[in-house]
Amino acid sequence: MLSAKSLFQEILDDDESFRLFCSIAASGESQGGWENGRIAALVPESQRELAPRIVRHGADEDKHGRIFNALLKKRGLRPAEVPGETDYTMLLESNGIGLAHGRLKREEPLSERDIITYLAHSRVTEQRASEQMRLLCRYFADHPDIGRAVRMISNDEDNHLAYCHEELLRFARAGHGRTIQRTLRECALAEIRVYRDVSLAVMAHMGEVLRWPRAKAAVLAAGIHAMYAYERLVGWRRMVSLAPPERRDALGGPAVAEAEYA
């Protein structure tokens, strides 16, 4: 029977598919770490109190990248080259979502509007990350090789999502509500499209590595298209809602060292 658990297990059991999975994940996390580091350095004076939280966010992302690379090393594997069509972070940027790398490379302070754009982009993408890691936790939290890493990353992603809710609500109270909602909607609709395309690309590469029969590949592709149709119709709304998080000041302390997962 084809299920999310059986699919992940198949990818986990094969060295080459595991290598590709961890390499894609590590690349995305490392890019996120760099982006947050640059945003923290360019925060406008009016929002300087946010800088330590953005630094913590970036440190967590860097940590996740190192964790995925450590999982590869543990199995004696080297990182694989990440196909461009599977690069979720860069594809979002090419669709005009978030702050462009060209902007972040300049030594020019960001505006409050830029910070709202960053937080809205993060709120949407952290929703996706939190859901994906919770799914992995459901099936592999007790796995002897990846269980501890999955639990740590999942906890961090929940913290990141809580932080985005809290800060966006703060901006909303300051009178930016309409801008936030418009930006969130634009980000969500673009993200679900990019996520569909990246998912199709990743599954195509996994299918080649694992030599899936055409029928299996077709079923998986159909499932991805069906999920996109649902998200395009109503599912995107979960990415734009804002509510006070149960975890308050979730990024108020130092990042937890990745060595703790091993």
Side-chain angles (χ1 to χ4, degrees):
M1 176 177 151
L2 189 60
S3 65
K5 182 177 182 179
S6 66
L7 182 64
F8 282 126
Q9 189 66 61
E10 189 175 0
I11 291 170
L12 179 63
D13 288 344
D14 181 88
D15 279 352
E16 281 305 305
S17 58
F18 183 73
R19 178 173 176 247
L20 180 59
F21 172 80
C22 287
S23 298
I24 292 171
S27 174
E29 297 286 359
S30 296
Q31 287 183 63
W34 179 86
E35 289 172 2
N36 278 277
R38 290 302 300 154
I39 291 167
L42 300 175
V43 167
E45 284 301 320
S46 62
Q47 298 297 325
R48 287 311 300 174
E49 73 277 5
L50 257 182
R53 294 176 176 82
I54 301 173
V55 168
R56 164 70 186 275
H57 190 179
D60 283 346
E61 303 288 3
D62 281 335
K63 176 183 69 179
H64 300 167
R66 292 193 299 272
I67 287 174
F68 282 113
N69 282 320
L71 290 173
L72 287 173
K73 186 176 181 180
K74 190 174 181 180
R75 280 177 61 165
L77 302 172
R78 296 178 61 85
E81 183 176 349
V82 176
E85 63 272 21
T86 69
D87 194 330
Y88 173 78
T89 303
M90 295 308 296
L91 287 171
L92 283 173
E93 181 188 347
S94 68
N95 278 265
I97 300 304
L99 299 176
H101 282 193
R103 174 70 179 87
L104 295 179
K105 290 176 181 177
R106 301 202 302 267
E107 297 299 328
E108 178 185 333
L110 299 171
S111 65
E112 285 195 356
R113 176 62 183 272
D114 289 329
I115 297 301
I116 291 172
T117 297
Y118 149 70
L119 287 168
H121 167 258
S122 296
R123 187 264 176 270
V124 169
T125 55
E126 294 297 344
Q127 177 79 38
R128 182 75 69 186
S130 176
E131 291 171 353
Q132 288 181 324
M133 293 312 301
R134 287 187 181 190
L135 183 64
L136 285 175
C137 271
R138 184 187 309 168
Y139 300 132
F140 299 109
D142 297 323
H143 192 279
D145 294 327
I146 69 168
R148 217 165 163 197
V150 165
R151 294 195 305 272
M152 173 176 276
I153 296 173
S154 181
N155 182 67
D156 287 346
E157 302 297 9
D158 288 346
N159 281 340
H160 299 167
L161 185 56
Y163 148 77
C164 293
H165 275 267
E166 195 166 42
E167 296 303 333
L168 285 170
L169 285 170
R170 180 174 65 83
F171 273 104
R173 289 193 295 271
H176 299 282
R178 289 187 177 180
T179 298
I180 290 169
Q181 283 302 315
R182 182 174 64 252
T183 307
L184 281 171
R185 187 177 188 277
E186 291 172 357
C187 285
L189 292 176
E191 192 279 341
I192 63 173
R193 185 173 61 251
V194 169
Y195 182 72
R196 174 202 61 191
D197 294 344
V198 168
S199 296
L200 289 169
V202 169
M203 287 300 103
H205 283 281
M206 291 297 178
E208 290 180 6
V209 169
L210 296 169
R211 298 180 180 178
W212 287 337
R214 289 185 180 180
K216 181 174 181 176
V219 168
L220 289 171
I224 292 169
H225 283 295
M227 176 58 72
Y228 170 73
Y230 165 75
E231 291 195 326
R232 186 66 181 82
L233 184 63
V234 295
W236 63 272
R237 298 180 186 277
R238 77 189 189 286
M239 295 179 163
V240 303
S241 63
L242 292 175
E246 292 183 7
R247 302 184 184 197
R248 299 300 177 93
D249 196 22
L251 297 188
V256 179
E258 76 277 5
E260 294 192 16
Y261 95 90

